Amino acid sequence: MNAAVIVAAGRGTRMGINKVLAPLCGVPVIVRTARAFCESGLFDGGVVVVCSQEDMEAMRAVLADVPVAAIVPGGSDRQQSVWLGIQACDPSADILAIHDGARPLVTRAVIESTIESARLYGSGVAAVPLKDTVKRVDGQGCVVETPERERLRAVQTPQTFSAALIRDAHARFAQSEHRATDDATLAEWMGHTVRLTAGDPENIKLTTPEDMLLATQVIRRRSGLSGEESTMRIGHGYDVHRLVENRALILCGVHVPYTLGLLGHSDADVALHALMDALLGAAALGDIGRHFPDTDPAYAGADSGKLLDHVVALLDGKGYTVENVDITIICQRPKLKDYIETMRQNVAAHLHVDTDCVNVKATTTEKLGFEGEGLGISSHAVACIARKS
Ligand code: MG
């Protein structure tokens, strides 16, 4: 029986946030990594994810749809975290694979090779030849040795072992001063001859923002998209509100002086409602009725600008940024031209984009229809969004 431990307990400070929770082509890194293992069909003993205590809640949320066996809190360093993960694995597993949560591009072939090797020889560690010549240096950065490159390998994960070997190794060194940066080192310290298997140059550990760019290109290529192919998406929104007395007229967050105002559960900002539906539509996130039901008293009189901020955060969470938007307000009266610039600036601020990325225009309907008769105001919006690279 094979079980796996995915270690995601680092804080990823080099990238500003916990890098494994960051979206990669719209899917959190840890979700991609966990899926690679769960969907490989190689782990009948389950997959355990180890994360820091502070990330437990976020980790449970993002992995809700991934069939991991357990999510357990890690320790003060990688070695301790792996040991805690191993102890959470099914005790009847006789093969244990250990993998970095920040290596989402691992392939089934790479995982399988490590398992086969571990079955035959007790260990199988993914590794690749080095492209760069490596120098050993002293404390001053002076070269003291140049090892022969042909004999050097960069080791990756998974590092897979007979369960007895790696349990013994971790148990022995858990209480000691000895700290290893990978699990193969512990097996070496136990006197075991570690076997290497073919890793993959694309099985990179995501450490820097540049790694994320590279990973994005790999994912696009694997999904049949060329690196240059656009990941832009478009959405459309439409809304109507009735004009009544004793209500303020708010359009694109701007108060427009008029004898009538729009009737609605929220502030009835018809233009921002159309815009939110366009944004949600572009991201395939439904519509504002789903996110802000008008039966919910929480949204009574709501500032639509605040709702728009929430929509922008939803898009951000799915890995999208706004490219540009175009809003049309269909309104016979009042004249809106004096307010258009303020509307653009206001919308741009909510979307975190330049004013140049926001267009607002107003039109009448030649007195035809409900807008023309002054009974209500309608609005159309289109939004273009793109994947963050
Ligand atoms: Mg509405």
Side-chain angles (χ1 to χ4, degrees), residues 255-379:
H255 179 242
V256 179
Y258 189 48
T259 51
L260 305 174
L262 293 173
L263 179 65
H265 184 64
S266 66
D267 63 6
D269 188 331
V270 69
L272 289 191
H273 291 188
L275 175 62
M276 285 188 271
D277 268 352
L279 292 166
L280 291 168
L285 283 168
D287 60 30
I288 55 173
R290 183 176 121 197
H291 295 279
F292 317 112
D294 64 9
T295 48
D296 187 337
Y299 302 115
D303 173 357
S304 296
K306 294 231 166 57
L307 306 185
L308 177 57
D309 292 338
H310 184 74
V311 166
V312 171
L314 286 173
L315 262 64
D316 184 62
K318 221 179 158 183
Y320 291 113
T321 54
V322 177
E323 289 283 305
N324 75 300
V325 300
D326 184 20
I327 301 166
T328 303
I329 303 169
I330 301 146
C331 167
Q332 193 69 40
R333 272 176 301 145
K335 291 292 169 213
L336 300 179
K337 74 171 171 40
D338 293 344
Y339 305 96
I340 297 288
E341 269 317 299
T342 318
M343 290 179 184
R344 289 179 67 204
Q345 288 161 16
N346 189 38
V347 170
H350 283 291
L351 301 181
H352 314 298
V353 298
D354 202 83
T355 314
D356 189 49
C357 302
V358 177
N359 193 62
V360 178
K361 52 200 190 298
T363 185
T364 69
T365 56
E366 303 280 334
K367 298 193 175 166
L368 294 168
F370 66 85
E371 301 102 325
E373 291 169 30
L375 299 174
I377 295 178
S378 67
S379 179

Side-chain angles (χ1 to χ4, degrees), residues 71-88:
I71 302 170
V72 298
S76 58
D77 62 16
R78 186 187 187 282
Q79 190 174 317
Q80 206 181 354
S81 294
V82 173
W83 180 219
L84 290 165
I86 288 173
Q87 293 171 87

Side-chain angles (χ1 to χ4, degrees), residues 7-185:
V7 210
R11 282 178 189 83
T13 46
R14 272 172 290 189
M15 279 169 54
I17 46 164
N18 188 344
K19 62 196 171 192
V20 297
L21 291 168
L24 173 60
C25 292
V27 177
V29 169
I30 188 64
V31 173
R32 290 186 177 275
T33 309
R35 277 196 189 139
F37 274 70
C38 291
E39 291 170 6
S40 71
L42 296 168
F43 296 97
D44 47 353
V47 176
V48 169
V49 174
V50 189
C51 72
S52 67
Q53 186 68 51
E54 68 209 57
D55 286 334
M56 283 295 280
E57 204 174 317
M59 203 63 77
R60 279 202 196 96
V62 298
L63 291 172
D65 296 328
V66 185
V68 295
I71 302 170
V72 298
S76 58
D77 62 16
R78 186 187 187 282
Q79 190 174 317
Q80 206 181 354
S81 294
V82 173
W83 180 219
L84 290 165
I86 288 173
Q87 293 171 87
C89 283
D90 189 325
S92 50
D94 60 340
I95 294 287
L96 287 177
I98 298 155
H99 187 67
D100 297 325
R103 291 186 194 268
L105 301 176
V106 64
T107 59
R108 188 180 191 280
V110 166
I111 300 171
E112 195 167 26
S113 299
T114 67
I115 293 172
E116 283 170 3
S117 176
R119 289 234 165 261
L120 284 172
Y121 308 110
S123 60
V125 170
V128 289
L130 291 187
K131 288 184 219 155
D132 298 318
T133 297
V134 172
K135 306 284 186 190
R136 186 196 296 278
V137 295
D138 63 16
Q140 279 71 50
C142 296
V143 174
V144 294
E145 188 197 356
T146 303
E148 191 189 341
R149 191 176 63 183
E150 295 305 307
R151 295 289 194 94
L152 292 173
R153 296 290 181 274
V155 295
Q156 307 178 329
T157 65
Q159 302 196 349
T160 305
F161 305 91
S162 89
L165 166 67
I166 202 65
R167 279 180 194 278
D168 285 353
H170 270 281
R172 177 177 307 181
F173 295 107
Q175 305 304 330
S176 78
E177 296 286 291
H178 296 283
R179 279 305 182 250
T181 51
D182 74 343
D183 302 284
T185 305

